[in-house]
Amino acid sequence: MQKHWWHKATIYQIYPKSFMDANGDGIGDLKGITSKLDYLQKLGITAIWLSPVYQSPMDDNGYDISDYEAIADIFGNMEDMDELLVEANNRGIKIIMDLVVNHTSDEHAWFIEARDHPDSLKRDYYIWRNQPNDLLSVFGGSAWQYDEKSGQYYLHFFSKKQPDLNWENAALRQKIYDMMNFWIAKGIGGFRMDVIDMIGKIPDQKISGNGPKLHDYIKEMNQATFGQHDLLTVGETWGATPEIAKRYSNPEGQELSMVFQFEHIGLQHKPDTPKWDYEKELDVPALKKIFEKWQTDLELTQGWNSLFWDNHDLPRVLSIWGNTGIYRQKSSKALAILLHLMRGTPYIYQGEEIGMTNYPFASLEEINDIESLNYAQEALGKGKTKEQIMNSIRMIGRDNARTPMQWNDTDQAGFSAAKSTWLPVNPNYKDINAAAALADPDSIFYTYQKLVQLRKGEDWLIDADFELLETPDKVFAYKRSLAAESYLIAVNLSDEEQSVELTDSYKDTIISNTDEDQALTSHKLQPWDAFCVRLG
Ligand code: GLC
Ligand code: CA
């Protein structure tokens, strides 16, 4: 199998509104990101996945794009973007752009022309019907919006300001490929593809994800754009199974490097219920089964995994499955060690490397996220109490990941010189911040730094087989083996001591958040113990 740079890469996701505000308006920006590249270089990451910075009315914080080849004013301008690319490349850091091509903003020139001139060629770039069917928007309500002028409805699987593009239209597809090539020519490291599994939709048959032409489109895109370059491409695919992931990421298939699968994230809510019916108690045996399946089914010759706990749409993993109390540091390291030593490309979401937590949102006034706000409105209508609604949003709402990055213990956590920021800074910033983490050699930051280094240096992380070990429920232990070498990874995912016999002898320790020798000889894992040892 041909090895690519991204097999040894760790990717760091930046949510631009919340990373660093350089001009003091309370909103993060490109110059802010550039000013923090030394920090990221210290962490050691290979590439940044930059959530959208394009021109946008910000109905969905940039996932509603009105010009793919311009930068949103709040973030700066194209010069700032070019500067970020140069400065990042100088530090050996690549920039992966967010590619949002399932839909545009309703303020994109294509949509304005399509809506105002129903006879124009652009009309067919979008999806219009005389009658809506009962398809629903991911953000609540009908997926169809009535347009007065033409008397037709247009499709929007997300907000009504995010009209869906019609991928059946070959001219539109070409426009998208041209736009992608514009970015490739700038020297970017790849694309993260927003809800890419939806581009093959057939609304009349109520098919949204995994439509019949999806993989044809991706192959065509590969040929027309990144296929000639060594770029990382990762698709956001909520419904992916290992079989589906193989279609995308098979090295022979000429589609993508990898996809994000969300099966483990599904454990954050009760089976077959909306995410708002959250399930805080982690079902560890179920988690083990899911990872075992993905690690073994997606063999090296057949595909490649991505590995993540957090992103800008999810709660902080520490707050839902970790321990934000006395075991905050230890549980955060445990979750990191568990994930990063599996096979795949790991992703770190900003703040995860210092153990940031969910925000204690008290009322809807503090909420910005369109999905949470729409949910609250719908749920109120269905008779849920405000308290029930706030409980859900506080645990699972997307704003939890989006509060400003905590840099130090000064006002606004050093994120901004403004009096107030677009989302409030988490009040725990005095304790939890990057400056404190950097100053403490035993901090979460250095565990992540070590994991990133291991990923670059240890070839077995790519090649070795995965074997789940039989252990008590709350212990997640696996073995990675390659020829004569093997490694044991053991993690106690609980606040209680666990008895388990793992091995009598080992050669050396690869990484640990505890006294692994004591744990192995006493056959007892203390709360949130986690380590990796080389066996033999
Ligand atoms: C993806 C993004 C999310 C966005 C949605 C619509 O799921 O990650 O933030 O709201 O697509 O673009
Ligand atoms: Ca700013």
Side-chain angles (χ1 to χ4, degrees):
M1 185 203 60
Q2 195 195 342
K3 298 266 165 69
H4 295 277
W5 62 270
W6 39 263
H7 285 112
K8 292 184 153 223
T10 302
I11 317 298
Y12 186 92
Q13 185 189 353
I14 288 184
Y15 197 65
K17 276 183 100 171
S18 309
F19 193 61
M20 181 64 200
D21 173 21
N23 68 351
D25 65 354
I27 305 171
D29 44 49
L30 288 170
K31 280 202 181 308
I33 297 172
T34 303
S35 75
K36 292 295 183 186
L37 286 171
D38 289 341
Y39 169 82
L40 296 177
Q41 191 178 21
K42 179 153 195 179
L43 184 57
I45 50 108
T46 328
I48 294 168
W49 151 21
L50 191 59
S51 274
V53 292
Y54 315 95
Q55 198 180 91
S56 161
M58 298 286 155
D59 189 51
D60 187 18
N61 286 330
Y63 284 91
D64 49 320
I65 297 170
S66 53
D67 186 343
Y68 290 102
E69 295 180 19
I71 300 295
D73 292 343
I74 55 166
F75 296 137
N77 54 38
M78 197 53 90
E79 259 170 52
D80 300 332
M81 184 67 221
D82 292 339
E83 187 193 13
L84 171 60
L85 277 161
V86 169
E87 291 297 323
N89 285 338
N90 283 345
R91 289 168 179 79
I93 297 174
K94 297 173 194 285
I95 303 280
I96 293 167
M97 298 299 282
D98 215 312
L99 182 78
V100 189
V101 292
N102 175 65
H103 44 266
T104 66
S105 163
D106 66 339
E107 297 181 31
H108 192 290
W110 298 340
F111 188 77
I112 293 174
E113 193 178 331
R115 187 192 53 207
D116 293 353
H117 305 281
D119 295 334
S120 84
L121 288 173
K122 299 284 186 317
R123 183 76 172 180
D124 190 49
Y125 281 21
Y126 296 88
I127 297 166
W128 303 88
R129 295 289 182 269
N130 293 329
Q131 284 301 321
N133 61 15
D134 56 6
L135 276 175
L136 294 177
S137 155
V138 176
F139 290 163
S142 168
W144 297 95
Q145 177 67 22
Y146 185 62
D147 169 54
E148 292 276 343
K149 175 150 185 176
S150 60
Q152 286 194 308
Y153 295 78
Y154 65 84
L155 181 72
H156 63 90
F157 273 121
F158 294 89
S159 100
K160 60 173 188 271
K161 287 185 66 61
Q162 291 168 298
D164 273 63
L165 286 166
N166 175 21
W167 274 73
E168 298 270 349
N169 185 300
L172 163 76
R173 297 204 300 277
Q174 191 54 50
K175 288 253 191 236
I176 289 173
Y177 304 152
D178 292 347
M179 174 275 283
M180 292 172 71
N181 286 327
F182 164 87
W183 284 101
I184 291 171
K186 279 187 177 289
I188 63 167
F191 295 104
R192 174 268 183 184
M193 303 186 176
D194 193 65
V195 289
I196 200 67
D197 55 345
M198 294 173 78
I199 62 174
K201 70 206 101 182
I202 308 188
D204 302 319
Q205 292 172 32
K206 299 192 194 162
I207 295 175
S208 54
N210 297 312
K213 289 199 193 151
L214 169 62
H215 292 277
D216 294 340
Y217 294 150
I218 294 179
K219 282 190 208 299
E220 181 185 84
M221 177 195 277
N222 175 310
Q223 291 293 304
T225 64
F226 52 84
Q228 327 308 326
H229 310 264
D230 193 12
L231 299 185
L232 179 157
T233 49
V234 52
E236 184 199 22
T237 57
W238 278 83
T241 60
E243 285 315 308
I244 291 176
K246 283 181 205 170
R247 285 198 67 182
Y248 287 108
S249 67
N250 189 312
E252 309 292 303
Q254 321 240 295
E255 294 195 19
L256 306 179
S257 315
M258 67 192 98
V259 293
F260 290 125
Q261 64 84 16
F262 288 85
E263 229 185 313
H264 59 307
I265 299 300
L267 299 176
Q268 293 181 348
H269 56 87
K270 302 192 169 60
D272 304 317
T273 62
K275 70 182 212 174
W276 305 106
D277 294 337
Y278 66 84
E279 178 59 77
K280 190 170 173 352
E281 181 75 25
L282 172 60
D283 184 344
V284 182
L287 185 78
K288 291 193 243 182
K289 271 213 190 99
I290 290 172
F291 276 125
E292 178 186 32
K293 179 172 78 183
W294 281 91
Q295 288 290 304
T296 51
D297 282 13
L298 222 56
E299 281 174 65
L300 211 47
T301 51
Q302 303 200 12
W304 185 249
N305 269 295
S306 62
L307 305 167
F308 69 96
W309 292 124
D310 281 0
N311 70 28
H312 65 293
D313 293 327
L314 301 173
R316 295 278 181 184
V317 68
L318 204 50
S319 294
I320 186 151
W321 289 340
N323 178 310
T324 54
I326 54 166
Y327 296 122
R328 184 183 68 86
Q329 303 240 15
K330 204 172 174 196
S331 66
S332 166
K333 293 175 187 174
L335 287 161
I337 290 170
L338 176 64
L339 188 77
H340 282 239
L341 300 182
M342 293 190 203
R343 180 192 285 149
T345 299
Y347 290 72
I348 303 170
Y349 180 70
Q350 65 182 43
E352 186 185 332
E353 78 282 13
I354 56 167
M356 280 177 60
T357 64
N358 275 2
Y359 184 93
F361 292 107
S363 76
L364 281 180
E365 278 80 72
E366 289 172 308
I367 301 298
N368 168 278
D369 169 30
I370 181 170
E371 185 192 41
S372 297
L373 292 171
N374 287 357
Y375 158 71
Q377 213 183 7
E378 237 175 67
L380 277 174
K382 286 186 188 149
K384 288 224 170 178
T385 67
K386 279 203 171 135
E387 198 39 44
Q388 286 169 324
I389 293 169
M390 280 317 294
N391 278 340
S392 289
I393 292 179
R394 210 179 292 121
M395 180 54 70
I396 217 91
R398 303 197 297 178
D399 282 342
N400 283 302
R402 302 177 180 183
T403 63
M405 176 72 184
Q406 293 160 215
W407 292 106
N408 57 43
D409 64 1
T410 66
D411 286 355
Q412 311 296 5
F415 161 74
S416 170
K419 282 237 151 38
S420 71
T421 51
W422 78 279
L423 272 182
V425 173
N426 196 308
N428 62 22
Y429 75 94
K430 296 248 175 209
D431 296 323
I432 304 176
N433 63 66
L438 288 172
D440 171 8
D442 199 31
S443 72
I444 301 165
F445 179 92
Y446 293 108
T447 295
Y448 273 90
Q449 186 191 56
K450 176 94 204 244
L451 289 167
V452 174
Q453 279 166 5
L454 289 173
R455 174 67 49 184
K456 285 182 189 159
E458 304 276 330
D459 283 337
W460 63 270
L461 282 172
I462 303 179
D463 297 307
D465 285 343
F466 175 99
E467 184 196 344
L468 182 72
L469 301 178
E470 267 199 45
T471 55
D473 275 3
K474 300 281 184 187
V475 175
F476 193 149
Y478 58 92
K479 206 155 106 179
R480 304 262 336 247
S481 312
L482 180 69
E485 266 183 44
S486 59
Y487 299 81
L488 166 73
I489 293 96
V491 181
N492 176 358
L493 286 170
S494 80
D495 295 344
E496 292 91 40
E497 181 184 274
Q498 303 289 332
S499 298
V500 58
E501 256 182 75
L502 289 162
T503 181
D504 293 334
S505 69
Y506 63 95
K507 269 197 203 134
D508 50 11
T509 301
I510 305 294
I511 191 168
S512 172
N513 74 353
T514 187
D515 183 344
E516 65 284 354
D517 205 58
Q518 165 75 16
L520 287 170
T521 50
S522 69
H523 302 154
K524 286 196 167 44
L525 294 185
Q526 298 311 308
W528 299 101
D529 266 4
F531 53 83
C532 169
V533 293
R534 190 196 318 258
L535 296 173

